[in-house]
Amino acid sequence: MDFTSAAFWAALGSIIWVNILLSGDNAVVIALAARGLPPHQQKKAIFFGSAAAIVMRIVLTLIAVEMLKWPWLKVVGGVLLVYIGVSLLLEEGEEGDDDNADQNTGLLTAIRTILVADLVMSLDNVLAVAAAAKGNTVLLVLGLGISIPLIIFGSTLLLKVMERFPIIIVLGAALLGWLAGEMILTDPAVVARFGELPHTTQYIGAGIGAALVVALGLALKKRQHASAA
């Protein structure tokens, strides 16, 4: 494809736009994972987590069409999202400990959480990005690469909003539960057993997933505080 052609720039714009539209949930996870770190490490977690997630998404895009046909993959991904959602809801931002080893461990844990969550949540999203790229790897890499600063900006903004309105943390965890319920009910193994479920049933399953994550997270958090007291 000619770099100077209108078709190239139109396709590139499509990839960037699609990636921004589909990365809202990823920005929520990045902000949730980074919120428990000291301020100077939050920026590192957001930057390295976002960059690594984009690189992983490029690789995933090339094989996603086949991966989505694997039975039980989305079920496992949904269970992972429930676990991540509950874990993120339990995390507390404690800045009193300045031990470098602990801080580095926290940074690596946050980046790992971002990568795992992005991997799970991007299974469906990458299909839209791949469609926009129309098989052009250069377009794919450029489009996703340009999206990095936009996702970083969104995550940084969300992090500041979370500090002011803690309820967003609960809503973010609920979003992960919602996505988990939706993923499980659209897994090829589930579809093969029950047929393609109506959208209403999928929404109910997603709602149950959201409620489960919030209920588990808050219950465990309450027990955690009781034990500490």
Side-chain angles (χ1 to χ4, degrees), residues 90-166:
L90 285 172
E91 286 182 7
E92 294 287 348
E94 297 180 3
E95 299 176 19
D97 189 357
D98 290 328
D99 184 76
N100 287 333
D102 287 345
Q103 288 187 12
N104 289 334
T105 301
L107 177 61
L108 291 175
T109 300
I111 292 174
R112 185 184 64 205
T113 300
I114 291 167
L115 281 173
V116 173
D118 192 86
L119 171 65
V120 174
M121 293 188 300
S122 294
L123 287 174
D124 289 325
N125 295 1
V126 292
L127 290 180
V129 175
K134 298 176 182 176
N136 190 311
T137 306
V138 175
L139 266 176
L140 176 67
V141 174
L142 278 176
L144 292 178
I146 293 171
S147 303
I148 291 176
L150 300 173
I151 295 173
I152 291 174
F153 173 76
S155 304
T156 305
L157 184 63
L158 266 174
L159 193 60
K160 294 183 182 301
V161 175
M162 282 178 184
E163 291 172 358
R164 189 165 183 179
F165 304 103

Side-chain angles (χ1 to χ4, degrees), residues 90 92 94 218-229:
L90 285 172
E92 294 287 348
E94 297 180 3
L218 294 180
L220 290 174
K221 194 170 187 178
K222 188 176 180 181
R223 181 181 294 182
Q224 196 178 59
H225 288 168
S227 299

